[in-house]
Amino acid sequence: MNYPSKLIENAVEEISKLPGIGKKTALRMALHLLKRDERQTLQLSEAIIAMRTKTQYCRQCHNISDEELCQICTNPKRDESVVCVVEDTRDVLAIENTSQYRGLYHVLGGIISPLEGIGPNDLKIESLLKRISEKQGTDLAVKEVILGLSPTMEGDTTAFYLTKRLKPLNVKITTIARGIPIGGDLEYADEITLGRSIVSRIVYE
């Protein structure tokens, strides 16, 4: 593809690195940004820079946050006795959009996948176990852990591993009901199906 300038080419190269965006789409975006008011384009770039440099992760649940603790963990109306374990922030958003869950979360930051070289030590599993064990015997004790993982082979492997690690802590372990299609991802499930799966969760065995 021929470009009118090296600056445009560089912009297209970077934009096309985003998922789902090819070179042609990237070129249209670059030309659109070039036509926009300079102030608007600068606001976009500043927002992206701020997102990348200032975004942090909640020290308790590892969800994306603006502060040391995220808005969900600091919300006094949430049920601290229930923790839903998910793969990443997209799953938190998917479950929150159902308005069916009022507990807390724990974001693993991935799932066990030997083919991709991801093992238990690469995930936020130890912090989950510590989080639960430290609160045992207190008014803030975790009584139930929901395994809100996608029903894929990797998700099931992760759920099985977590179950073995959680059992000594004597907490109720449940998984979302299989209204979610096998092999599917939570972020693509419709809100009604996902909401019903959360409400009608079952004991994980």
Side-chain angles (χ1 to χ4, degrees):
M1 184 181 294
N2 294 322
Y3 298 94
S5 81
K6 189 65 177 177
L7 296 175
I8 292 292
E9 182 178 357
N10 291 340
V12 170
E13 285 296 323
E14 293 305 315
I15 295 173
S16 65
K17 292 177 182 178
L18 295 172
I21 298 180
K23 291 290 180 67
K24 289 184 178 180
T25 301
L27 178 58
R28 284 198 297 271
M29 289 182 174
L31 294 176
H32 173 73
L33 291 172
L34 194 59
K35 289 180 181 178
R36 290 179 65 181
D37 181 88
E38 184 177 344
R39 180 177 54 84
Q40 292 179 321
T41 304
L42 291 176
Q43 286 176 339
L44 172 62
S45 62
E46 288 168 1
I48 293 174
I49 291 172
M51 176 192 70
R52 189 64 186 87
T53 59
K54 296 180 180 180
T55 295
Q56 50 188 314
Y57 293 89
C58 176
R59 64 175 171 80
Q60 177 170 267
C61 73
H62 308 294
N63 191 20
I64 292 174
S65 175
D66 292 335
E67 307 293 339
E68 189 177 8
L69 284 173
C70 70
Q71 294 180 349
I72 295 176
C73 285
T74 56
N75 187 342
K77 295 182 179 180
R78 307 295 294 218
D79 184 357
E80 296 190 27
S81 69
V82 184
V83 174
C84 183
V85 179
V86 296
E87 179 180 346
D88 58 33
T89 295
R90 292 173 299 178
D91 298 328
V92 173
L93 296 174
I95 293 174
E96 284 296 288
N97 285 336
T98 70
S99 300
Q100 299 291 322
Y101 177 68
R102 300 305 303 165
L104 300 181
Y105 293 92
H106 191 89
V107 180
L108 293 177
I111 51 179
I112 297 173
S113 178
L115 292 177
E116 295 182 14
I118 301 174
N121 293 333
D122 299 310
L123 307 179
K124 305 295 184 182
I125 294 176
E126 294 304 321
S127 62
L128 170 64
L129 302 175
K130 181 180 178 182
R131 176 181 174 183
I132 295 173
S133 62
E134 286 182 343
K135 293 182 179 180
Q136 284 184 323
T138 72
D139 293 337
L140 301 177
V142 176
K143 298 177 182 178
E144 179 183 1
V145 174
I146 305 171
L147 302 179
L149 302 171
S150 298
T152 60
M153 183 179 296
E154 293 82 3
D156 285 344
T157 299
T158 307
F160 179 73
Y161 179 83
L162 286 172
T163 300
K164 289 199 301 181
R165 297 295 307 276
L166 288 167
K167 276 192 174 180
L169 298 178
N170 295 317
V171 294
K172 182 180 179 181
I173 304 171
T174 60
T175 183
I176 55 177
R178 293 305 173 102
I180 307 299
I182 300 297
D185 290 315
L186 286 184
E187 63 176 305
Y188 299 122
D190 66 275
E191 294 175 8
I192 295 177
T193 299
L194 186 55
R196 287 177 178 172
S197 296
I198 283 289
V199 172
S200 59
R201 58 188 180 271
I202 59 177
V203 175
Y204 188 86
E205 295 180 347

